[in-house]
Amino acid sequence: MQISELSAVSGVSVASIKFYRREGLLPPGIATATNRATYADHHVRRLRLIRALIEVGELPIANVRAVLAAVDNESTTLHDAFGAVMHSLDPAPPADPSDSTADAEIIAVNEWLARRAWQVEPHAPAIRTLAQLLVAIRQFDFAMSITDFDEAADLAEQTAYGEVAYARATTDRASAVATMLIGTVVIERVLVEIRRLALEAVSARLEAEVREP
Amino acid sequence: MQISELSAVSGVSVASIKFYRREGLLPPGIATATNRATYADHHVRRLRLIRALIEVGELPIANVRAVLAAVDNESTTLHDAFGAVMHSLDPAPPADPSDSTADAEIIAVNEWLARRAWQVEPHAPAIRTLAQLLVAIRQFDFAMSITDFDEAADLAEQTAYGEVAYARATTDRASAVATMLIGTVVIERVLVEIRRLALEAVSARLEAEVREP
């Protein structure tokens, strides 16, 4: 198909396709005699993954490039490709590597992961982010530690099986990674909204108890 | 205390304090003979709430103003003040009110809330946001509906009692709202990170099963 048809099928504008080409995110089409290029189905799948990374994952171009490299490198496992996208969702670690405010919590998080037999890359950004959030919780005088989230972790683990298996069952690596990313980002936002609704509902109940004891 | 001491106690720069004064977010201090102003403890609490709204809640100034108005209006309940801050966390509804793509899901969400006896303001943005996320989930071919999140909702409701009661137990409205906001935003981020770790851990397990069946 030509670039106009690729645009129609993928829902990505011709200008964006050209931008992704220039940035090296989309491989070239096959050049034809008329100095045009024809594109194939794998370009459509690639474009869908790029849009998912940018629009759903809100990843900067540099991170999109890193994820695509992991997807393209067929010598890595699908798990490694998932890891590349999961790890790029979290903000970068602090520029100052000597920042030690979260060190004690990082140890606590790692011990907690070991107790749960959750095998996670030691450099997974979620470990440091979680530790920093636990520091923040304590700074705001909330008496909570990582073990207060055991029940939430049980539920997350239980539902993760369905989500990861669903992503792995897709036909190609690009689709599997796109599915994993979309599932991760969209479902975590669903859970955030449900939590906010629960807080509002419970706040209404506690207010009513004060007024009509 | 003078502005320099207010800055030291609250950890907010003098320049930011002056900005919040100009924007009407911080009430004036009491003018002294020397053409200066003295500030009191309630200014410190107000500054903490403003910083929590801006830095933790990432609210724009207009939303900060709306939340502070709800906190200041003592004729409203604490629940209404909580509602003001919770509702300002979600993005604004679509500019085009005739956008009906999520209408069916909004009905489904409202029925689900009624079944759970979760009393939520009909205009709570989380209802529309949740409906739009459910539309997105279906667009990406995930076979999930709101009832797939029942267990997550049970857990959210259960933990909400502790969080709301903790916020209500603080001494004044500004502190209660700050606590509610910080608890909501920080803890929801903790849960997101735990979910990401769970997905990575489960992905590692499923990958290992493929390699060493």
Side-chain angles (χ1 to χ4, degrees):
Chain A
M1 67 190 95
Q2 294 195 343
I3 194 164
S4 56
E5 195 184 345
L6 178 64
S7 170
V9 171
S10 65
V12 177
S13 71
V14 169
S16 291
I17 292 174
K18 288 184 173 171
F19 172 71
Y20 299 147
R21 275 288 304 121
R22 279 199 304 277
E23 290 287 323
L25 305 179
L26 186 73
I30 296 168
T32 60
T34 54
N35 202 22
R36 294 184 172 186
T38 58
Y39 296 91
D41 282 349
H42 69 90
H43 289 99
V44 177
R45 290 194 298 270
R46 168 64 68 121
L47 278 177
R48 286 206 182 117
L49 175 55
I50 293 171
R51 293 320 282 253
L53 293 167
I54 292 175
E55 289 174 12
V56 181
E58 297 179 356
L59 262 54
I61 294 290
N63 291 20
V64 172
R65 190 171 286 115
V67 169
L68 293 176
V71 172
D72 288 339
N73 182 354
E74 302 263 353
S75 72
T76 64
T77 64
L78 195 49
H79 170 63
D80 290 328
F82 286 167
V85 63
M86 300 292 281
H87 293 173
S88 55
L89 288 175
D90 277 288
D96 177 7
S98 69
D99 177 12
S100 61
T101 49
D103 283 359
E105 290 293 349
I106 288 176
I107 293 170
V109 169
N110 277 315
E111 286 172 354
W112 181 77
L113 290 171
R115 277 201 303 280
R116 300 195 68 88
W118 280 11
Q119 192 193 320
V120 172
E121 283 291 317
H123 65 267
I127 295 174
R128 175 171 281 274
T129 307
L130 188 50
Q132 288 167 334
L133 288 166
L134 291 167
V135 170
I137 284 179
R138 221 172 322 273
Q139 279 170 347
F140 289 121
D141 292 331
F142 285 82
M144 294 184 97
S145 71
I146 185 70
T147 50
D148 288 305
F149 296 97
D150 277 334
E151 206 171 342
D154 290 344
L155 185 56
E157 178 177 330
Q158 182 188 315
T159 57
Y161 277 97
E163 291 175 44
V164 177
Y166 180 74
R168 290 185 69 96
T170 56
T171 49
D172 60 291
R173 286 167 68 94
S175 302
V177 170
T179 301
M180 190 70 204
L181 167 74
I182 293 160
T184 301
V185 173
V186 177
I187 294 174
E188 74 193 18
R189 288 191 194 155
V190 167
L191 296 171
V192 161
E193 297 303 331
I194 286 176
R195 220 182 91 81
R196 291 180 183 175
L197 290 168
L199 286 164
E200 181 170 344
V202 165
S203 171
R205 286 184 200 164
L206 294 184
E207 183 76 45
E209 278 176 24
V210 171
R211 319 225 126 211
E212 308 140 26
Chain B
M1 67 190 94
Q2 294 195 343
I3 194 165
S4 56
E5 195 184 344
L6 178 63
S7 170
V9 171
S10 65
V12 177
S13 72
V14 170
S16 291
I17 292 174
K18 288 182 174 172
F19 172 71
Y20 299 149
R21 274 287 305 119
R22 279 199 303 277
E23 290 287 324
L25 305 179
L26 186 72
I30 295 167
T32 61
T34 54
N35 202 21
R36 293 186 174 184
T38 59
Y39 295 91
D41 282 349
H42 69 90
H43 289 99
V44 178
R45 289 195 296 270
R46 167 63 68 121
L47 278 177
R48 286 205 182 119
L49 174 55
I50 294 171
R51 293 318 284 252
L53 293 167
I54 292 175
E55 289 174 12
V56 181
E58 296 178 356
L59 262 54
I61 295 291
N63 291 20
V64 172
R65 189 171 285 117
V67 170
L68 293 176
V71 172
D72 288 339
N73 183 354
E74 302 263 353
S75 71
T76 65
T77 64
L78 194 49
H79 170 64
D80 290 329
F82 286 167
V85 63
M86 300 293 281
H87 294 173
S88 55
L89 288 175
D90 277 286
D96 177 7
S98 69
D99 177 12
S100 62
T101 48
D103 283 0
E105 290 294 348
I106 289 176
I107 294 170
V109 169
N110 277 314
E111 285 172 354
W112 181 77
L113 290 171
R115 278 201 303 280
R116 300 195 67 87
W118 280 11
Q119 192 193 318
V120 172
E121 283 291 318
H123 64 269
I127 296 174
R128 175 171 283 272
T129 307
L130 188 50
Q132 287 165 336
L133 289 165
L134 292 167
V135 170
I137 284 178
R138 220 172 320 275
Q139 279 169 348
F140 289 122
D141 293 330
F142 285 82
M144 295 184 96
S145 70
I146 185 69
T147 50
D148 288 303
F149 296 97
D150 278 334
E151 206 172 343
D154 290 344
L155 185 56
E157 178 177 332
Q158 181 188 317
T159 56
Y161 277 98
E163 292 175 42
V164 177
Y166 180 75
R168 291 185 68 96
T170 56
T171 49
D172 61 290
R173 287 167 67 95
S175 301
V177 170
T179 301
M180 191 69 203
L181 167 74
I182 293 159
T184 300
V185 173
V186 178
I187 294 174
E188 75 192 18
R189 288 191 193 155
V190 167
L191 296 171
V192 161
E193 297 303 331
I194 286 176
R195 219 181 92 80
R196 290 180 183 175
L197 290 167
L199 286 164
E200 181 170 344
V202 166
S203 171
R205 285 184 200 164
L206 293 184
E207 183 75 45
E209 278 176 25
V210 172
R211 318 227 126 209
E212 307 139 29

